[in-house]
Amino acid sequence: MNVRALARTAMGRRLLRAHLLRGRAEIIGGVNDSPWDALTSDEQAFLINSYEIDILPGVWGDLEEPLLSAPPGALAEVLLRLVDRGWIAVCEVEPWTAPDGRAGFQPGPPLPRESLPELLADPRQWEYPEDDWIGALTLVETAAGRKITRKGAGEG
């Protein structure tokens, strides 16, 4: 399989994610007895994006109906459940400078839980920014979330 070629398209990235996550489920213990298998597809979509440290709008590419067509409020409920479980932190993208001086960006510190409902109620947060990602909400996997997405032999 040519992974680089697959990663160039949205469909290819989805196939790679599905393949990677299926492999994780097998490592954890097979079908239907892993924490991953107990999640809804919507919860899995948010965890995939936190694993990728993607900005919030990235979740649209992993959602299935009916939430794919749902208003952001319905999506916020799913995300807040995962935040409350301690599996995902919501941060803002901040500027970052690499050791060689190149400009980039990284997730800032986790935002307070009490600020999230208002932030997630803003439909603009669920759309890709026109230009710069600085200030966009990003999903970051926590240590507890890693136990769900990466648990393998000898881990967790």
Side-chain angles (χ1 to χ4, degrees):
M1 169 178 7
N2 186 338
V3 174
R4 285 189 176 157
L6 274 174
R8 288 188 190 118
T9 66
M11 179 58 82
R13 287 188 297 275
R14 289 187 79 180
L15 289 170
L16 287 170
R17 286 182 197 135
H19 177 73
L20 180 63
L21 294 172
R22 256 196 311 276
R24 283 194 198 120
E26 290 169 8
I27 291 171
I28 291 170
V31 178
N32 297 327
D33 64 351
S34 75
W36 180 262
D37 291 330
L39 298 173
T40 66
S41 64
D42 308 322
E43 291 169 327
Q44 290 176 354
F46 279 101
L47 279 167
I48 288 168
N49 280 266
S50 72
Y51 167 79
E52 297 172 338
I53 314 175
D54 201 353
I55 63 172
L56 184 60
V59 76
W60 292 110
D62 296 303
L63 287 171
E64 298 174 357
E65 291 295 350
L67 278 188
L68 185 57
S69 301
L75 297 174
E77 291 175 23
V78 176
L79 176 56
L80 290 173
R81 277 197 315 263
L82 298 169
V83 169
D84 291 341
R85 289 179 187 166
W87 294 349
I88 293 178
V90 179
C91 308
E92 290 182 328
V93 175
E94 295 183 339
W96 172 76
T97 304
D100 67 2
R102 287 184 292 151
F105 51 87
Q106 67 182 5
L111 297 170
R113 166 58 171 90
E114 56 275 3
S115 71
L116 297 181
E118 183 178 346
L119 287 169
L120 297 173
D122 181 353
R124 293 174 296 181
Q125 297 290 353
W126 298 88
E127 299 171 6
Y128 278 97
E130 295 272 333
D131 48 12
D132 195 358
W133 285 18
I134 301 300
L137 297 182
T138 187
L139 307 181
V140 178
E141 184 177 58
T142 65
R146 268 189 293 284
K147 291 180 181 178
I148 303 301
T149 61
R150 293 193 185 101
K151 187 172 181 180
E155 294 181 52

